[in-house]
Amino acid sequence: MNSKYKYIYIGLLGSMLLSFSSCLKDFDPVDTYSDVTEGINDEGKEVVFKDKAAVESHLKTLYNQMRDRQEHWYLDLLLIADAHADNAYGGTTGAEVIPFENNALEGSNSVIDRDWNRYLEDMARANRLIVNIDEVEDATLTTALRERYKAEAKIFRAMILFDMVRIWGSIPVITTEAGDITAETIEDVYDDYFPSQATEEEAYRQIEKDLLEALETAPENDAGDKTRFSKSVARTLLAKVYAEKPIRDYSKVIQYCDAVTADGFDLVDDFSDLFGMNAAGTDAKMRNTKESILEAQFFSGSGNWVTWMFGRDLANWNSNFTWAKWVTPSRDLIKAFETEGDQERFQESVVYYETSWSNYYPSDHYPFMYKCRSAYSSIIKYRYADVLLLKAEALIMGPSDLAGAADIIDRIRQRAGLKKLPANIRGDKEAMLNALLKERRLELAFEGQRWFDLVRLNKVEEVMNAIFAKDSGRKALVYPFNETSYRLPIPQGVIDQNPKIVQNPGY
């Protein structure tokens, strides 16, 4: 088998070997084989990376994934985390979107299938660099550079695994690259092409291992460039990982939250700096704020396209505004903002336009998600407010420092122009947990957090089974939420093609 096919095979993983040519037709054009990433060295030996330039070209490919493949890195995560929770409706009448809203998801859903395969493709790209960089024969690729590039790839792999394990639970954890398939090697490489699922704990342990190793040699945070897989990104992910049930350790959540603070991050004074436009409406208001930990950035000539899946592109007012959008803000979320008197965050999160459709609201007063509002809006993957609120969560659920947790929540609230928490809440653990969940909901709406917050804190049944009676705009619930709802279905096509993959309970 030609070695260039090996790269595509590893990425698809869920594809049958005999159907390879048909899969090629659907492969994303930005990810096709390039002579830069594979070739022949000066001695005529076939290699993965010919030299330092080839390695750096491949590393650039890893960095481009959040920019080039916005579906699974952003769009679909908001569908899962906001429309599958109480923050939003699906938004369209499409058969692949509505099941997220009314809890009718099945393994045949094309959005889920797309995400699974694309995450695995990205994991393969990370593995390619990690596995092969030490074999590159180029003296200019120093040991320090090799270790730095591996660290960046490990952080990227950890990001992929973290998203996957929170969505599906037991997933393939792949850290190798399969060899060529021949009659002699097929038994040896079969497991690489058709991997088994790891348990959730095993997946989290691999994420932990990647991040701890990456901390040794990853680049430091650069205040002027928040697009890098830095030590601060690793510390942020570690804080989030240790808050999850399989390897929960609230003392480590606090440790890594504090480490992110020590890296120089802080809340911006003006919430609109995070998502706003410049005065002329031609560009993002700010990039690389002191609150942003990792973001994908877009500029003239290479703007994001995902903005027109959510509403209007403010830099191109009439572009792609003739059809219903995804992730429509729910009445319940809007009421939560109004009840709290939270005008500042509301106006940065929700906007109203007149439309030609009326799927959920009257067409002359239709709300839209507003945190991605132009082709030049950054996709902020991690930000400091999330980290601070995670520390508050750890102080409530772990060492039990309710006063410390309340001080953190108050800091977030005061930035939004709200009063401090009242005394009767500050001294009660359950009341504080509810206050934290509300604060995370309002602060992080439409940032891909809400569903995962409910899952992490065992609030899915309590919140989601009640929302359909409170929210008159929501589609009718198809299946009640229960203990099997915490994980989404694995794509049926993956199960059909790989006998080692077992469907999640309840699907």
Side-chain angles (χ1 to χ4, degrees):
M1 177 178 291
N2 187 297
S3 61
K4 72 179 181 182
Y5 295 155
K6 175 178 65 179
Y7 176 53
I8 300 174
Y9 255 104
I10 292 288
L12 294 176
L13 279 174
S15 302
M16 289 293 288
L17 300 180
L18 294 178
S19 63
F20 172 72
S21 59
S22 65
C23 292
L24 260 178
K25 291 183 288 187
D26 296 324
F27 200 66
D28 192 330
V30 303
D31 302 324
T32 51
Y33 162 73
S34 166
D35 286 321
V36 176
T37 57
E38 293 197 43
I40 306 296
N41 68 9
D42 293 339
E43 288 75 41
K45 175 184 174 183
E46 187 178 274
V47 293
V48 174
F49 300 119
K50 182 178 180 180
D51 51 23
K52 176 184 175 183
V55 172
E56 292 179 340
S57 175
H58 188 78
L59 182 63
K60 183 178 179 180
T61 298
L62 300 189
Y63 274 104
N64 283 343
Q65 296 315 296
M66 284 202 305
R67 288 180 40 84
D68 293 343
R69 286 153 54 99
Q70 296 158 45
E71 292 99 332
H72 66 293
W73 279 109
Y74 187 49
L75 173 64
D76 295 351
L77 270 181
L78 268 61
L79 190 63
I80 293 167
D82 289 275
H84 192 48
D86 52 351
N87 278 359
Y89 310 127
T92 78
T93 57
E96 302 306 296
V97 175
I98 293 303
F100 287 89
E101 176 186 339
N102 63 6
N103 200 33
L105 285 168
E106 297 179 352
S108 60
N109 187 279
S110 65
V111 173
I112 292 173
D113 182 76
R114 170 175 68 194
D115 293 345
W116 177 281
N117 286 314
R118 287 193 171 198
Y119 278 126
L120 289 181
E121 290 167 13
D122 287 349
M123 198 185 311
R125 293 181 180 87
N127 290 342
R128 189 156 187 78
L129 188 148
I130 295 165
V131 169
N132 294 293
I133 190 171
D134 287 336
E135 304 304 317
V136 179
E137 297 177 359
D138 186 337
T140 65
L141 187 62
T142 64
T143 298
L145 276 178
R146 291 173 200 257
E147 293 305 311
R148 171 182 166 166
Y149 295 163
K150 274 195 286 188
E152 291 171 90
K154 286 180 179 179
I155 292 170
F156 182 62
R157 183 168 70 189
M159 290 167 55
I160 297 163
L161 287 169
F162 185 61
D163 281 354
M164 287 192 75
V165 73
R166 291 195 300 167
I167 295 170
W168 289 291
S170 296
I171 56 170
V173 174
I174 306 160
T175 59
T176 60
E177 189 174 47
D180 289 338
I181 299 174
T182 67
E184 292 76 25
T185 65
I186 185 134
E187 290 188 6
D188 294 331
V189 302
Y190 180 85
D191 288 342
D192 294 329
Y193 286 105
F194 297 95
S196 302
Q197 288 161 286
T199 66
E200 286 192 44
E201 181 174 351
E202 288 169 339
Y204 276 106
R205 290 300 179 193
Q206 182 61 49
I207 297 168
E208 176 188 42
K209 180 175 184 291
D210 277 346
L211 295 172
L212 291 175
E213 290 176 354
L215 275 178
E216 298 296 320
T217 54
E220 300 288 345
N221 173 59
D222 181 348
D225 183 4
K226 299 298 183 67
T227 68
R228 310 307 297 175
F229 303 144
S230 66
K231 292 181 191 292
S232 299
V233 173
R235 291 178 180 122
T236 298
L237 263 176
L238 282 166
K240 294 174 79 68
V241 163
Y242 287 126
E244 297 291 336
K245 285 173 276 190
I247 61 169
R248 178 167 286 163
D249 187 333
Y250 285 123
S251 65
K252 289 184 178 178
V253 173
I254 295 168
Q255 173 191 338
Y256 285 104
C257 287
D258 287 346
V260 173
T261 300
D263 285 343
F265 293 91
D266 203 351
L267 299 178
V268 296
D269 295 330
D270 184 347
F271 192 76
S272 71
D273 288 348
L274 297 168
F275 307 103
M277 297 286 288
N278 64 6
T282 57
D283 200 1
K285 182 178 180 181
M286 293 186 70
R287 299 181 178 91
N288 304 310
T289 69
K290 61 184 178 180
E291 188 165 339
S292 178
I293 298 169
L294 178 66
E295 62 186 63
Q297 298 174 354
F298 303 88
F299 303 91
S300 179
S302 60
N304 74 63
W305 59 263
V306 78
T307 182
W308 44 260
M309 295 297 292
F310 298 125
R312 285 193 181 277
D313 179 354
L314 297 191
N316 190 359
W317 182 254
N318 289 316
S319 173
N320 293 288
F321 199 68
T322 58
W323 41 271
K325 306 302 182 180
W326 289 23
V327 191
T328 299
S330 71
R331 287 167 175 80
D332 189 72
L333 176 65
I334 292 171
K335 182 180 179 181
F337 277 114
E338 291 174 345
T339 301
E340 201 64 24
D342 193 348
Q343 183 62 28
E344 188 166 336
R345 288 185 295 196
F346 175 73
Q347 67 185 11
E348 294 299 318
S349 304
V350 179
V351 67
Y352 288 88
Y353 298 125
E354 184 173 351
T355 71
S356 59
W357 62 91
S358 55
N359 294 340
Y360 294 90
Y361 294 90
S363 59
D364 61 350
H365 193 61
Y366 210 96
F368 294 86
M369 183 280 257
Y370 200 44
K371 284 186 173 176
C372 182
R373 61 190 72 165
S374 88
Y376 311 123
S377 295
S378 293
I379 292 175
I380 301 177
K381 183 69 173 175
Y382 308 121
R383 67 179 175 97
Y384 185 61
D386 177 23
V387 172
L388 277 179
L389 289 171
L390 270 181
K391 180 178 179 180
E393 180 179 318
L395 292 174
I396 294 168
M397 303 298 291
S400 190
D401 179 2
L402 298 184
D407 288 344
I408 291 172
I409 295 172
D410 285 345
R411 185 178 170 197
I412 301 290
R413 290 174 61 81
Q414 289 181 301
R415 197 257 299 263
L418 302 177
K419 296 179 180 179
K420 293 183 177 182
L421 294 173
N424 64 319
I425 289 178
R426 299 173 72 91
D428 182 276
K429 180 175 180 178
E430 188 62 26
M432 280 293 295
L433 180 59
N434 289 331
L436 170 81
L437 272 168
K438 180 175 67 175
E439 208 59 44
R440 285 186 63 85
R441 186 185 189 191
L442 300 179
E443 174 72 22
L444 303 169
F446 312 122
E447 297 183 49
Q449 302 289 341
R450 178 62 171 172
W451 170 257
F452 300 115
D453 288 349
L454 297 178
V455 169
R456 185 176 64 256
L457 294 168
N458 295 316
K459 293 287 187 177
V460 169
E461 296 97 324
E462 175 187 330
V463 171
M464 294 309 300
N465 286 329
I467 193 63
F468 290 81
K470 295 194 303 176
D471 190 333
S472 61
R474 191 168 292 274
K475 307 292 185 186
L477 180 64
V478 174
Y479 299 112
F481 290 85
N482 58 33
E483 68 276 3
T484 67
S485 303
Y486 284 61
R487 299 294 175 243
L488 272 57
I490 294 170
Q492 187 59 45
V494 171
I495 295 170
D496 293 342
Q497 294 166 0
N498 183 352
K500 297 179 182 177
I501 302 296
V502 178
Q503 184 59 276
N504 283 328
Y507 297 102

